[in-house]
Amino acid sequence: MLAKPSIKRSANTGIADEPSELRMTRQRREVYRVLLAQRDHPTAYDVFMRVKDGLPHISLATVYNCLEALVEHDLVRQVNFDREPSRYCPNLEEHGHFHDRDTGVIHDVKFKPGIKLADVLDLPHGAVIQDVEINLRGQLSLA
Amino acid sequence: MLAKPSIKRSANTGIADEPSELRMTRQRREVYRVLLAQRDHPTAYDVFMRVKDGLPHISLATVYNCLEALVEHDLVRQVNFDREPSRYCPNLEEHGHFHDRDTGVIHDVKFKPGIKLADVLDLPHGAVIQDVEINLRGQLSLA
DNA sequence: CCGATAGCAAGAACTATTCTAAATTCACGC
DNA sequence: GCGTGAATTTAGAATAGTTCTTGCTATCGG
Ligand SMILES: [Mn+2]
Ligand SMILES: [Mn+2]
Ligand SMILES: [Zn+2]
Ligand SMILES: [Zn+2]
């Protein structure tokens, strides 16, 4: 995924401020820690369950808020397969996802070295790409 | 998107039947006609509104049913950007989608000739890909 | 410490989609 | 052209992941 600038405008002036720092609260730190600890592309609810070990009073809404904050500050990527619950991935390298229909496991899929998207796709003239999502589905043949 | 075999198994035997034909009802035909007539990746609700011109009594649930049937029989592709409402595309060539943030327009994006996904992606060993989804977001620079 | 801003928790609300149940249409053998 | 069973349609209810609202708490700069 390419970087997305997270601009905020002050309510008073309407002038663009610096992109604000992410305040690392206990909840956000724990959500992020959980994502790094087990990189299996958990859903928000999965994260909620895992975070409760360390923060038993955290709410699901807070998990959603934390995930949104982490995504907006480009520490975490949101991964959507069709209309299933969103999943979250702390791998910041440009990569796609392969969903194994048999096991449900989602594998990270890297580009082969030296490949750029503009090399393989016939983009509209003047297109500036800000975000790339590559989602594959299939099976892992056991042969 | 790669072809997805739509196998049905008879309830009695559990033996695989032929993939059943899509029965072209008035509703399905009209939904399909609307998709072909204006290829702007409409949502189910967009389709509903357009189909009502020809079939004023059609229900939204039927539009969903028809779209699902068309997708399952590989006449139409479902296109999902993040968690926005699904959109529908009758272009059966293998292609991705570019969402222009400024205009909201979704453009079809073809692969450059001769490119295969396995050539550019580092797939897991033994992966058999059944479905490919490539979604881009960005802007069209006017320069 | 003070006032302001940001974040959290709990539950309600939202909304795209799916499900339910009853009515209608259809395919097909006679 | 019927009768019959299966498929489809319809309207409305239900579902479920996510977002919003509200009141409270934590944090920050001074
Ligand atoms: Mn898809
Ligand atoms: Mn995305
Ligand atoms: Zn990933
Ligand atoms: Zn398309």
Side-chain angles (χ1 to χ4, degrees):
Chain A
M1 183 163 62
L2 303 176
K4 178 177 63 175
S6 72
I7 302 294
K8 264 195 183 171
R9 287 168 197 288
S10 92
N12 297 335
T13 64
I15 305 297
D17 293 340
E18 296 296 301
S20 57
E21 293 294 306
L22 178 65
R23 205 146 91 183
M24 259 302 166
T25 64
R26 255 177 314 143
Q27 289 83 351
R28 287 172 183 170
R29 185 168 17 253
E30 190 65 8
V31 165
Y32 189 43
R33 203 190 56 68
V34 154
L35 289 175
L36 292 173
Q38 196 176 339
R39 296 164 169 250
D40 57 353
H41 303 93
T43 64
Y45 188 77
D46 294 334
V47 172
F48 176 51
M49 286 312 187
R50 294 175 193 178
V51 164
K52 282 213 267 191
D53 287 349
L55 296 171
H57 295 297
I58 199 171
S59 75
L60 180 56
T62 297
V63 171
Y64 273 103
N65 288 339
C66 291
L67 289 169
E68 182 184 34
L70 292 167
V71 168
E72 261 165 19
H73 286 78
D74 293 317
L75 292 173
V76 168
R77 284 182 54 184
Q78 189 174 355
V79 178
N80 295 302
F81 271 89
D82 301 326
R83 302 200 57 80
E84 292 169 23
S86 290
R87 298 169 173 279
Y88 296 88
C89 173
N91 178 355
L92 297 181
E93 285 182 64
E94 190 169 76
H95 70 285
H97 293 98
F98 174 83
H99 182 120
D100 182 345
R101 281 205 157 90
D102 294 331
T103 64
V105 173
I106 293 177
H107 301 262
D108 283 350
V109 176
K110 284 195 275 198
F111 284 89
K112 286 193 174 167
I115 301 288
K116 270 173 246 149
L117 210 61
D119 297 339
V120 305
L121 292 179
D122 217 351
L123 295 173
H125 180 69
V128 178
I129 297 180
Q130 293 162 348
D131 189 80
V132 175
E133 200 177 289
I134 297 182
N135 294 331
L136 314 175
R137 272 194 199 271
Q139 297 175 260
L140 291 182
S141 68
L142 310 173
Chain B
M1 180 164 63
L2 303 176
K4 180 177 63 175
S6 71
I7 302 295
K8 264 195 183 170
R9 286 166 197 289
S10 91
N12 298 335
T13 64
I15 306 295
D17 293 340
E18 296 295 302
S20 57
E21 293 294 306
L22 177 65
R23 204 146 92 185
M24 258 303 165
T25 63
R26 256 177 313 142
Q27 289 83 350
R28 287 174 182 167
R29 186 168 17 253
E30 190 65 8
V31 165
Y32 188 44
R33 203 191 55 69
V34 153
L35 288 174
L36 291 173
Q38 198 176 339
R39 297 165 168 249
D40 57 352
H41 303 93
T43 65
Y45 188 78
D46 293 334
V47 172
F48 177 51
M49 286 311 187
R50 293 175 195 179
V51 165
K52 281 214 269 191
D53 287 349
L55 295 172
H57 295 298
I58 198 169
S59 77
L60 180 56
T62 297
V63 171
Y64 273 103
N65 289 341
C66 292
L67 290 169
E68 182 183 33
L70 292 167
V71 167
E72 261 164 21
H73 286 76
D74 293 317
L75 292 173
V76 167
R77 285 182 53 184
Q78 189 173 352
V79 178
N80 295 303
F81 271 89
D82 300 327
R83 302 200 57 82
E84 292 169 21
S86 290
R87 298 170 173 277
Y88 297 87
C89 173
N91 179 355
L92 297 181
E93 285 184 63
E94 192 169 73
H95 70 285
H97 292 99
F98 173 83
H99 182 122
D100 182 344
R101 282 206 156 90
D102 294 330
T103 63
V105 173
I106 293 178
H107 301 262
D108 284 351
V109 176
K110 285 196 273 196
F111 285 87
K112 286 196 173 165
I115 299 288
K116 271 174 244 146
L117 213 58
D119 297 339
V120 303
L121 292 179
D122 218 351
L123 294 173
H125 180 69
V128 177
I129 297 180
Q130 293 162 348
D131 189 80
V132 175
E133 199 178 291
I134 297 183
N135 295 331
L136 314 175
R137 271 195 200 271
Q139 298 174 262
L140 292 181
S141 68
L142 311 173

